Amino acid sequence: MSLIEQIDKNNVPEHVAIIMDGNGRWAKKQGKFRVFGHRAGVKAVREAVEGAAEVGVKFLTLYAFSTENWNRPKLEVEALMSLLLSSLKDELETLTKNNIKLKIIGDISKLPSKNQRELTSVVEKTKDNDRMTLILALSYSSKVEIIDSIKSIAQKVKDGIVDLSDIDESLVSNNLYTAGIPDVDLMIRTSGETRISNFLLWQIAYAELFFLDILWPDFRKKNLYESILDYQNRERRFGKTSEQL
Ligand code: IPE
Ligand code: IPE
Ligand code: MG
């Protein structure tokens, strides 16, 4: 049986999030510039997106650029931005063909205006697609996201729209960039690093975490399916005992 056939279709993680890490090291291993690794990473993105859609994942969030990544050398940031622009143009057709909706989380006002325009356009063109939602985290910081939600809730309290006693988990969730998107079930990070790097701190409260040793450009559908199979062998107890489930 192929890997995808072994997956229980009734227990596919609804929301998968991936920290795509290791492009620089992948390039360095071959004596090449870091940007070479970023370019090779685009193929891995395609594999993750197609693989997730094929197995029935409904939400796939990819960490593409953090607010902290703005501190990288200017040339690398520029290369990443132009790679994002060309990939968006190239992938629109694939998104449309596969009935995938694009959504962005993060502060894209910091991105070059060409990128902002292209992002807005792809989001608009794919808004009615409903097989899977691909969420790109760009110029994203989970702490900033939480601060923004606190500000917007505080404003609503000040305006008398929300009462203090109305503030609960669902109100906070609905004021995050990910409003309307369920919490993460499965979170994967490549490259062997075992940290979260300011990604979806609220939304991963009860996610299953997977740390893969491979570097992002080597990621293929097979790696996604292996992670999902492992996920399906885990018992998610949410604080209860095994017997209660
Ligand atoms: C991930 O790979 C891509 C981005 C953060 C944009 P890295 O560029 O972090 O690669 P490493 O971790 O240095 O190998
Ligand atoms: C996290 O990777 C951000 C993205 C994958 C976009 P980094 O390479 O920036 O994270 P650190 O610096 O290892 O924590
Ligand atoms: Mg890295």
Side-chain angles (χ1 to χ4, degrees):
M1 246 201 308
S2 70
L3 271 177
I4 192 167
E5 285 165 351
Q6 289 172 48
I7 293 174
D8 173 2
K9 295 295 176 310
N10 297 313
N11 184 24
V12 172
E14 190 179 13
H15 186 174
V16 175
I18 309 182
I19 302 177
M20 312 185 288
D21 196 20
N23 294 352
R25 278 164 281 171
W26 187 90
K28 210 172 164 189
K29 268 196 347 198
Q30 306 174 46
K32 301 217 166 95
F33 290 117
R34 294 177 56 86
V35 57
F36 186 79
H38 295 315
R39 271 190 222 123
V42 176
K43 182 178 163 62
V45 171
R46 209 173 294 133
E47 290 266 329
V49 173
E50 285 180 11
E54 281 162 22
V55 79
V57 167
K58 295 309 279 180
F59 300 91
L60 174 68
T61 304
L62 299 179
Y63 203 4
F65 195 85
S66 70
T67 51
E68 291 79 13
N69 291 147
W70 288 115
N71 298 319
R72 290 192 178 192
K74 191 165 171 276
L75 271 179
E76 180 168 345
V77 172
E78 282 171 4
L80 280 165
M81 291 302 145
S82 77
L83 190 61
L84 170 68
L85 188 62
S86 58
S87 309
L88 277 167
K89 289 183 172 154
D90 293 346
E91 298 309 317
L92 173 63
E93 202 184 312
T94 318
L95 293 179
T96 310
K97 197 177 73 205
N98 288 293
N99 194 12
I100 297 167
K101 182 197 305 215
L102 181 71
K103 206 185 132 60
I104 310 295
I105 54 173
D107 178 10
I108 65 160
S109 71
K110 292 206 177 72
L111 268 59
S113 46
K114 270 191 285 190
N115 289 48
Q116 294 184 40
R117 275 197 302 275
E118 193 63 29
L119 283 165
T120 316
S121 149
V122 178
V123 167
E124 172 61 26
K125 285 176 181 144
T126 59
K127 71 176 192 318
D128 296 323
N129 296 347
D130 60 4
R131 181 177 179 208
M132 183 178 87
T133 303
L134 169 63
I135 302 134
L136 274 190
L138 282 170
S139 190
Y140 175 85
S141 152
S142 184
K143 284 195 171 181
V144 170
E145 178 184 32
I146 291 168
I147 293 165
D148 284 350
S149 90
I150 293 172
K151 284 186 186 161
S152 88
I153 294 169
Q155 187 65 51
K156 287 172 194 158
V157 172
K158 202 172 152 209
D159 294 344
I161 306 165
V162 165
D163 198 75
L164 262 193
S165 61
D166 294 334
I167 301 178
D168 59 7
E169 275 190 31
S170 88
L171 187 87
V172 174
S173 290
N174 288 328
N175 280 277
L176 294 170
Y177 306 154
T178 51
I181 297 170
D183 277 354
V184 175
D185 298 298
L186 163 59
M187 160 112 133
I188 300 170
R189 181 173 189 147
T190 56
S191 91
E193 307 293 356
T194 47
R195 57 175 167 266
I196 303 299
S197 303
N198 202 5
F199 190 41
L200 304 173
L201 301 177
W202 171 279
Q203 299 89 336
I204 60 165
Y206 247 114
E208 295 296 330
L209 309 179
F210 282 80
F211 297 102
L212 305 181
D213 284 332
I214 57 162
L215 301 172
W216 180 250
D218 292 326
F219 187 91
R220 294 294 173 267
K221 284 180 193 177
K222 164 181 170 288
N223 304 104
L224 176 70
Y225 296 155
E226 281 168 359
S227 306
I228 293 179
L229 279 168
D230 191 327
Y231 165 92
Q232 294 187 331
N233 283 318
R234 294 189 187 184
E235 186 173 65
R236 300 184 80 192
R237 290 190 287 278
F238 297 100
K240 294 183 181 171
T241 69
S242 223
E243 292 70 29
Q244 283 176 296
L245 298 173

